[in-house]
Amino acid sequence: MGDHKEQPLRVGAAVRRRRRALQLTLAVVSERSGLSVPFLSQVENDRARPSTSSLEKVADALRTTAVELLAAADPACSVDVVRAEGTEPVPEPRVRSLVRGHHQMHASEFTGDHDAGREFQYRNDQLMYVADGAVEIEAEGRAYRLGRGDTLYLTGGVRHRWRATVPETRVLVVAVAEHIEALHDRHR
C-alpha cells in the first residue's frame, strides 16, 4: 500500500555503486574511513547494517553524505509512508531518513546528541527545524541557539556545525538534493 515498513532500508548497493563510480577499491575506502575491509564488504552485501557513525565515515570516504547514501538505497516511490519506529526513548544518537528514494528533496530526523565537531557544507539549501529540545548551531562565524519550534535556513555552500544542548533533542533537516544543481540558479 505504499507503506514500506516491512522492507528494511538496504544501503549496501548504494555504497557499492558510489565506490565503483569513484573507481575506488574497498582497501582505499577502508583507509579513508578507518573501517575494516571485511566490514565494508559486509555492508556492501547487506550482511551488516552500519551505525550512523560508520555510515558517516563511509560517506566521508566516498565524498558524499549519509543522507545521499540513504536516499539512493531505495527505489523512488510516488507515494510513500515512513512510519515512526516506536515511542520508547532512544538510547543513542540516530538519524532517520524521512524521504526514501532519489528525489529533489531530502528530509532526515536527528535524535539525541550529535557530533558537534563535525562540520557540514551542502551544495544546496537546507532548513533545520527543532521538533523537540534545543540546539546550538555555528554558521558563518556566528552561534545561533534554537529551541522547540525554531527553524534555521542555510543557503547552499554555508559551512556549519551543530550540537544538541538538551537530552533527547529531535532536529528535522530538509534539504534540496545534492544531485540537483539548484545553487547555480541563484546567480542568474
Side-chain angles (χ1 to χ4, degrees):
M1 288 254 198
D3 182 350
H4 297 284
K5 182 176 178 164
E6 66 281 353
Q7 299 174 2
L9 194 60
R10 296 174 55 172
V11 74
V15 170
R16 184 183 313 106
R17 280 191 304 273
R18 177 69 181 178
R19 178 180 62 79
R20 287 180 176 169
L22 294 173
Q23 298 180 346
L24 300 175
T25 64
L26 281 173
V28 170
V29 176
S30 172
E31 184 179 314
R32 288 182 180 180
S33 67
L35 301 170
S36 72
V37 171
F39 175 70
L40 292 170
S41 177
Q42 289 177 342
V43 168
E44 283 194 1
N45 291 301
D46 288 314
R47 290 191 198 115
R49 291 184 62 182
S51 66
T52 300
S53 174
S54 293
L55 187 59
E56 286 176 351
K57 289 176 183 178
V58 170
D60 288 345
L62 296 175
R63 295 185 177 103
T64 189
T65 65
V67 171
E68 282 293 322
L69 290 175
L70 289 170
D74 256 353
C77 296
S78 59
V79 175
D80 192 14
V81 175
V82 178
R83 299 279 182 200
E85 293 179 1
T87 57
E88 60 275 350
V90 179
E92 61 183 53
R94 71 178 175 119
V95 61
R96 179 171 73 104
S97 183
L98 301 176
V99 178
R100 288 185 279 229
H102 200 61
H103 300 287
Q104 294 181 19
M105 179 191 75
H106 292 290
S108 298
E109 175 187 61
F110 294 85
T111 304
D113 202 4
H114 184 69
D115 180 5
R118 183 154 193 244
E119 186 173 72
F120 297 92
Q121 180 181 26
Y122 296 102
R123 181 170 52 194
N124 295 326
D125 299 353
Q126 79 175 49
L127 177 80
M128 297 178 77
Y129 171 76
V130 180
D132 286 307
V135 297
E136 186 173 87
I137 302 168
E138 182 184 316
E140 296 288 299
R142 293 184 57 193
Y144 301 89
R145 294 177 189 267
L146 302 177
R148 183 176 182 198
D150 292 341
T151 62
L152 179 82
Y153 178 83
L154 298 161
T155 58
V158 173
R159 291 184 184 276
H160 62 284
R161 68 182 84 233
W162 64 277
R163 68 181 184 89
T165 58
V166 174
E168 298 182 31
T169 291
R170 283 188 322 126
V171 176
L172 305 181
V173 177
V174 180
V176 175
E178 289 288 306
H179 68 279
I180 305 295
E181 293 292 334
L183 184 64
H184 298 298
D185 295 340
R186 188 176 300 114
H187 300 296
R188 290 187 185 168

